[in-house]
Every structure is written in structure tokens, then in C-alpha cells.
Amino acid sequence: MSTTLTDTDEHANTVVGPREAIERYDTAVDLLVRFHPDVVDRTTSLVHDHPDFAMGQALAAHLHLMSTDPRDLDAATEYARALDAAPRGEREDAHAAAIAAWLDGDWHGAARTLDDLLVRWPADVLALAIGHQLDFFTGDARNLRDRIGRSLDAIDRDHPHAGFVRGMQAFGLEESGSYDRALEVATEAIERNRDDVWAIHAATHVHEMRGDTDAGIRFLDERVDDWGSGNLFTVHNWWHRALFALERGDHREVLDIHDAQVRPDPDEPVAIDLADTSALLWRLHLDEVDVGDRADTAADAWASVLDGQAPWYVFNDAHAVMAFVAAGRFDDAADVVRRLTARLAEVGGGTRRSNDMMTSDSGLPACRAVLAFGEARHDDVVDELWPHRRTFHHFGGSHAQRDVLERTLVEAAVRGGRHELARRLVSERLAVRPSGRFALDRRERLVRAGTAV
Ligand SMILES: [Fe+2]
């Protein structure tokens, strides 16, 4: 006779499964909020030892979806099947529904399902962490902040995870433009957990968005031992550190950081990290910095990630195009554009999944613009990007990440002789960040070209 054991996890959420599996699940979730790399192996061994433990399977499926890498979809599908076959309660059912939506390409539906789940189980830290990432992937700044806000009073203040949840809230506040509050909350989170790399990241974003380059460098350098190695978020935070170096015009340091921390492992490229590598190289490309064979290395890595895969997350595709174009591999870039165009033609007026909407709203124009930039069709770059600026956020990422498209637009306007537009865009940037090096450089070039600003 089989029995279904119902217990609770460490946040008092109901869980179906044996005590030992629940304790190992709790440990894995703790590693997840710390971005500790052991979360992967711990989860793998958990589902191996307890294949009938639904929340273990849910965690494994979420982790594979969270990578945004189409090569992980087969594994995520397998975990989802095991989850469906395992004894479940209503919370497990809700996770299964979110995972099913995500696997079906409905990223927004998955995010909404986790919203619903969190109304009933607001202290479900797995749903909170994954939902937070989904809000990031879909560019939903408001829910990045408010999903966390809705759960804040449900997390035991004395539990270490209360700090990590504050770190999430800090990032949502930053993406929503509440910089003072974001820094305050991030500081509180870091004081609670020195290894809260997401809170460190949130504070870094505040310095980035304010144009406080020196403060950003100081902040990251003085606690580099807490974020610079040994976690799953090192590449992204090093990418931020490199952006500060770029803002100082220190291209040597940018390249050194790239080589030491951001360069992809050719044998095991990580899609989400590769996006940062490509964005960094593309920013250097816009500044006409010689990056040697680095773009080729990134392009090779993207080729292996995307090889034979159907379109899955256009944010990645756009960054692949940046690497291809920076490496002079226009055929590879054009191939991405062709695949995305074909996908949109295929779905036509039928059911469009999240990625189809992201592709048509911003992803495909971004890809076409980057390719056009490589081919010196600067008017085309402007015509692709200028009308889509208000929907750039639909394809996800942060304000800082999407600025790469804004820079591409400005640079194309300058190079293409669209000087009236270039002047306005430079003015717009300087109005927000008066000391922004990128805008000041372009203003100088416009002045030299005889266009008063
Ligand atoms: Fe970031």
C-alpha cells in the first residue's frame, strides 16, 4: 500500500514527500538563493535518490528552464514528466502548471501562474526566486518589484532567506527607478548575508544607472571576495565591473576582465553568460576598439548553443547576432535573422508564444539592426531601432543590458549622418547622466562634424 506523506518545508509550505527529501530540497533552495553552483549537483542527486518527490522534480525543471538555454529543454521536459507522475498536493500542482506553461513557450503564463501560487503560498521561496527570474526574462520591471513586495511580510524576519528576498526586492526597486530605496534595501540584505550576490548586483545597478562610476568600482572592488568567484553569477557581476571600466575609457582593463572572467569556456558555453560576453564585445565594437579574436570565440560558442535549435529566447539570439557581427560573420548573423523571420511567418495569425511576441516587438528589429550596423547600413539601423525603443524591454533583461541597443542607435545615427536625431538622443542621454562618457564622446564628434549640440 502506498502512502502519501504531507509535511512542510522550512518556510511552512505544505510539501508531499519524505522528510529526508524535504530537508535536501530546503538545502537546495538555500543554495539557489545564494547562486551557489552546488545547487545543480544537489538537485540532480535529490531527484536521483527520490524520483517520486515532486518538489525535487519541480526544482530540477525550473533550474533547467531558468538557464534560458534551448539545449536544456529536453532535460526540463523529462523532469516535468516525472513531476506529473509523482504524488502531488495543490502547491506541487501549481508548480507543474507553471512549468508546463513555460515549456510550452508561454513565459508570461508561467510568471502569472507563479503569481497565483504566491498569493496562496507567499513564502514559497522557490516560486519567488523563479518568478523573479521570469519577471526579469520578460522585462516586467513592475513585477520584479511587486512580486517580492507581496510576499515580504510572509517570510519569517529571522530566517536567513528574509535577507535574500530583500536582495530580490532591491533589484526590483532599482529596475523601477527607486534608486535610493533600492540601495538602502540592498545594503540591508548584504549586511545580513555577505554572499548575497543578487543584492550586490542590485546595488551595482544603482551605481550604474546613476552614472556613479567611481562609487560602483569602489563598491565592487572592496567586496570582490564576496562575489567575484564561486557562484553562478560571477560573469554577470564581472560584466558590470567591466562596464564601469568602459565608462572610464579604460579599454585595457575591460579586455583584461573579459579574458579573466567573461570569456566563454569553448567546451561548455553558458547561454546566459554568453549574452554578457557578447554585449561587452559589442559595446567595444561600437567604440571601435580592436577586440582581436575574442568576438570569434564568442561567435563559436553561440554557434554551438544555437545549432539545430528552434527559436526559444530572442534576447539570446540578439546577443548571438552581436557576437557574429563583431566577428565579421555576417552570414551567421543573417541566418539567425532568417530563422526568426521564418518562425514569425510560420505562426502568422495563429497562437503566438511569448518568444514570438518578444521577437516581433523588439528581438527581430534588434537582430536586423545589429546586422545592418555591421554592413554599414546605418539608416536601416535607425529605422529598425528608433520606432521600437518603447518596447525594447519586452524581450527582457535590465535597463543596463538593453542600453546596448540604445548605444547602437546613437552610434548609427552619428555614423549615418542622421545628425538631428543623434543630437536629440545625445541630449536625452546627457539629461539623465551628464557625465556619461558614451554621450559626451558622440557630442564631441557631432561638434567636430559641424553639428552644434
Ligand atoms: Fe545586471
Coordinates of all heavy atoms in Angstrom, one line a residue, residues 40 97 100 119 150 164 169 199 205 208 269 279 299 303 310-311 323 351 355 368 381 400 428 443 448:
V40 N 23.1 22.7 -8.5 CA 22.8 21.8 -9.6 C 23.0 20.4 -9.2 O 22.1 19.5 -9.4 CB 23.7 22.2 -10.8 CG1 23.5 21.3 -12.0 CG2 23.4 23.7 -11.2
A97 N 1.9 23.4 -13.3 CA 1.2 24.2 -14.3 C 2.2 25.3 -14.8 O 2.2 25.6 -16.0 CB 0.0 24.8 -13.6
A100 N 4.7 23.6 -17.0 CA 4.1 23.2 -18.3 C 3.9 24.5 -19.2 O 4.2 24.4 -20.4 CB 2.8 22.6 -18.1
V119 N 0.2 33.9 -4.1 CA -0.9 34.5 -3.3 C -1.3 33.5 -2.2 O -1.5 33.9 -1.1 CB -2.1 34.8 -4.2 CG1 -3.3 35.2 -3.4 CG2 -1.8 36.0 -5.2
R150 N 4.8 41.7 -2.4 CA 3.6 41.0 -1.9 C 3.9 39.9 -0.9 O 3.1 39.5 -0.1 CB 2.8 40.3 -3.1 CG 2.0 41.4 -4.0 CD 1.1 40.7 -4.9 NE 1.8 39.9 -6.0 CZ 2.3 40.4 -7.1 NH1 2.2 41.7 -7.3 NH2 2.9 39.7 -8.0
F164 N 17.8 37.4 1.6 CA 17.9 37.2 0.2 C 16.6 37.8 -0.6 O 16.7 38.2 -1.7 CB 18.1 35.7 -0.1 CG 19.4 35.2 0.3 CD1 19.6 34.5 1.5 CD2 20.5 35.5 -0.4 CE1 20.9 34.1 1.9 CE2 21.8 35.1 -0.1 CZ 22.0 34.4 1.1
Q169 N 14.1 42.2 -3.8 CA 13.3 43.4 -3.8 C 14.1 44.6 -4.2 O 13.6 45.5 -5.0 CB 12.7 43.7 -2.4 CG 11.8 44.9 -2.3 CD 11.6 45.4 -0.9 OE1 12.4 45.2 0.0 NE2 10.6 46.2 -0.7
A199 N 21.9 40.8 -4.3 CA 21.8 42.1 -3.6 C 23.0 43.0 -4.0 O 22.8 44.2 -4.3 CB 21.7 42.0 -2.1
H205 N 23.7 47.9 -9.9 CA 22.8 48.5 -10.9 C 22.5 50.0 -10.5 O 22.4 50.9 -11.4 CB 21.5 47.8 -11.0 CG 21.5 46.8 -12.1 ND1 21.1 47.1 -13.3 CD2 22.0 45.5 -12.2 CE1 21.2 46.0 -14.1 NE2 21.8 45.1 -13.4
E208 N 25.4 52.0 -11.5 CA 25.4 52.1 -13.0 C 24.4 53.1 -13.5 O 24.7 53.9 -14.4 CB 25.1 50.6 -13.5 CG 24.9 50.6 -15.1 CD 26.1 50.9 -15.9 OE1 27.2 50.7 -15.4 OE2 26.0 51.4 -17.0
P269 N 29.9 26.4 -23.1 CA 29.4 27.8 -23.1 C 28.0 27.8 -22.4 O 27.2 26.9 -22.5 CB 29.2 28.1 -24.6 CG 29.1 26.8 -25.3 CD 29.9 25.8 -24.5
A279 N 27.5 41.3 -25.3 CA 27.1 42.7 -25.1 C 28.4 43.5 -24.8 O 28.5 44.7 -25.3 CB 26.1 42.8 -24.0
A299 N 31.4 34.0 -30.9 CA 30.6 33.5 -32.0 C 30.6 32.0 -32.1 O 29.5 31.4 -32.4 CB 31.1 34.2 -33.3
A303 N 27.4 29.6 -31.8 CA 27.1 28.6 -32.9 C 26.8 27.2 -32.3 O 25.8 26.5 -32.7 CB 28.2 28.5 -33.9
A310 N 15.4 25.3 -32.3 CA 14.3 26.2 -32.7 C 14.4 27.5 -31.8 O 14.9 27.4 -30.7 CB 12.9 25.5 -32.5
P311 N 13.9 28.6 -32.3 CA 13.9 29.8 -31.5 C 13.3 29.6 -30.2 O 12.2 29.1 -30.1 CB 13.1 30.8 -32.4 CG 13.3 30.4 -33.8 CD 13.3 28.9 -33.7
A323 N 27.6 39.0 -31.4 CA 28.9 38.3 -31.5 C 29.3 38.0 -32.9 O 30.4 38.2 -33.4 CB 28.9 37.0 -30.7
T351 N -1.6 31.1 -32.8 CA -1.2 31.4 -31.4 C 0.2 31.7 -31.3 O 1.1 30.9 -31.6 CB -1.5 30.1 -30.6 OG1 -2.8 29.7 -30.8 CG2 -1.2 30.4 -29.1
N355 N 7.8 34.1 -26.8 CA 9.0 34.5 -27.6 C 8.7 35.0 -29.0 O 9.4 35.9 -29.5 CB 9.9 33.2 -27.7 CG 11.3 33.6 -28.3 OD1 12.0 34.5 -27.8 ND2 11.7 33.0 -29.4
R368 N 18.1 42.6 -36.7 CA 18.3 43.2 -38.1 C 19.1 44.4 -38.0 O 19.9 44.7 -38.8 CB 16.9 43.5 -38.7 CG 16.1 42.3 -39.2 CD 15.0 42.7 -40.1 NE 14.0 43.5 -39.4 CZ 12.7 43.3 -39.2 NH1 12.2 42.1 -39.6 NH2 11.9 44.1 -38.6
V381 N 19.7 50.8 -39.5 CA 19.8 50.6 -38.1 C 18.8 51.5 -37.4 O 18.0 51.1 -36.5 CB 21.2 50.9 -37.6 CG1 21.3 50.7 -36.1 CG2 22.2 50.0 -38.3
A400 N 20.2 48.3 -17.9 CA 21.7 48.4 -18.3 C 22.0 47.5 -19.5 O 22.8 47.9 -20.3 CB 22.5 48.0 -17.0
E428 N 19.3 63.6 -24.8 CA 18.4 62.7 -23.9 C 19.3 62.0 -22.9 O 19.0 61.9 -21.7 CB 17.7 61.7 -24.8 CG 16.8 60.7 -24.0 CD 16.3 59.6 -25.0 OE1 15.5 59.9 -25.8 OE2 16.8 58.5 -24.8
R443 N 28.8 63.6 -28.6 CA 28.6 65.0 -28.7 C 29.8 65.7 -29.4 O 29.7 66.5 -30.2 CB 28.3 65.6 -27.4 CG 27.9 67.1 -27.5 CD 27.4 67.7 -26.2 NE 28.5 67.9 -25.3 CZ 28.3 68.4 -24.1 NH1 27.1 68.8 -23.7 NH2 29.4 68.6 -23.3
R448 N 32.5 68.2 -34.0 CA 33.6 68.2 -35.0 C 33.0 68.1 -36.4 O 33.6 68.6 -37.3 CB 34.5 67.0 -34.7 CG 35.5 67.3 -33.6 CD 36.8 66.4 -33.8 NE 36.5 65.0 -33.9 CZ 36.3 64.2 -32.8 NH1 36.5 64.6 -31.6 NH2 36.0 62.9 -33.0

